[in-house]
Amino acid sequence: MEHQYVSNAYESQVAYDEGLRKFMLQVYNYMTVALAVSGLVSIGISMSPAAMAFIWGTPFKWVAIFAPLGMSLLFMGSIEKMKPEGAKVFLMFFAAIMGLSLSSIFAIYKLGSIANVFFISAATFGAASLYGYTTKKDLTSFGSFLIMGALGLVIASVVNLFLQSSAFAFAISCLGVLIFTGLTAFDTQEIKSHYDYSVGEEREKAGVVGAFQLYLDFINIFVSLLQLLGEKKE
């Protein structure tokens, strides 16, 4: 009888671990597709001088700069009413808009430098996410502090669009790497916990929201590191 109980408990744990693994893999897949969409859009736009001139040589540049922020607020505010399929479509549309916004980096930085920083960002993100997935430490209080820091960075970045202070920009980039690396660990742990208290469509939607959060973490790590390490065109 005791042997049967242990066997059932083991089988339940195996099933749980397999389900969690599939859930997290789906989250990372959504995120990877979103990054691919952003990359293709940004590269495509950068290859068109006419598109670059229209976006970054006219007042439309303010739309390109602020649209991702507005859409991210819209997404988080309306996600409760969305179906999983609608959330997936929104994520990919957001990724395309972010790609438009990121197209400017190809006019500023050398292509090889962008590629190098991307791989450094991927390694940083991967290490932080792995820590968040495996650690037994509760990162909730740590995450709350980082979220406040991220909000402060957004405000500081908007202010510096008008100040154009190189010292201020350097400080923002340094803090950005630290804050969003920490948020990657926190968000991974939070996403992992969603598997325990959501089922069906809610769990599927939680996976899309998680991919959105990790996507933003990665993009912010990448942009911050690019501003710190990127080699600019002469």
Side-chain angles (χ1 to χ4, degrees):
M1 189 70 177
E2 183 179 349
H3 175 75
Q4 183 64 38
Y5 175 79
V6 172
S7 177
N8 289 341
Y10 174 76
E11 290 176 2
S12 297
Q13 185 62 46
V14 169
Y16 172 85
D17 291 341
E18 179 64 17
L20 177 60
R21 187 191 68 80
K22 288 182 178 179
F23 173 72
M24 293 302 297
L25 182 60
Q26 186 178 56
V27 171
Y28 290 122
N29 285 341
Y30 289 149
M31 173 197 158
T32 301
V33 173
L35 286 173
V37 169
S38 295
L40 290 172
V41 170
S42 60
I43 292 172
I45 292 174
S46 71
M47 294 175 66
S48 170
M52 290 292 284
F54 172 74
I55 295 170
W56 301 109
T58 70
F60 186 79
K61 69 180 181 180
W62 298 110
V63 176
I65 291 171
F66 288 109
L69 176 60
M71 287 187 66
S72 63
L73 294 174
L74 176 63
F75 181 74
M76 298 311 294
S78 58
I79 186 61
E80 291 297 328
K81 300 177 182 178
M82 289 185 185
K83 294 290 186 180
E85 292 304 317
K88 293 174 192 176
V89 171
F90 194 106
L91 173 61
M92 296 308 151
F93 183 66
F94 175 84
I97 297 300
M98 182 64 81
L100 183 151
S101 183
L102 290 173
S103 62
S104 63
I105 67 175
F106 292 95
I108 300 172
Y109 299 97
K110 293 181 178 180
L111 186 60
S113 180
I114 293 172
N116 288 337
V117 172
F118 180 86
F119 287 116
I120 294 172
S121 301
T124 302
F125 173 90
S129 191
L130 179 62
Y131 173 78
Y133 186 84
T134 57
T135 185
K136 302 300 182 182
K137 182 179 179 180
D138 186 357
L139 302 178
T140 302
S141 59
F142 181 62
S144 300
F145 175 76
L146 290 173
I147 290 171
M148 294 302 296
L151 291 174
L153 277 184
V154 171
I155 296 172
S157 298
V158 172
V159 170
N160 204 44
L161 285 174
F162 303 97
L163 292 180
Q164 293 294 305
S165 168
S166 57
F168 199 22
F170 179 80
I172 290 171
S173 297
C174 290
L175 288 172
V177 174
L178 295 175
I179 288 174
F180 286 101
T181 299
L183 276 175
T184 298
F186 166 72
D187 286 336
T188 301
Q189 186 179 78
E190 185 180 43
I191 293 164
K192 183 181 174 183
S193 71
H194 287 325
Y195 180 78
D196 293 333
Y197 59 81
S198 61
V199 294
E201 283 194 353
E202 285 304 312
R203 180 177 288 173
E204 188 175 359
K205 188 163 64 174
V208 181
V209 174
F212 176 78
Q213 292 171 324
L214 292 180
Y215 169 88
L216 288 179
D217 292 336
F218 183 93
I219 290 295
N220 279 284
I221 291 171
F222 170 66
V223 171
S224 296
L225 282 174
L226 189 61
Q227 291 169 342
L228 290 172
L229 306 175
E231 185 179 356
K232 293 185 177 181
K233 294 179 178 179
E234 297 179 358

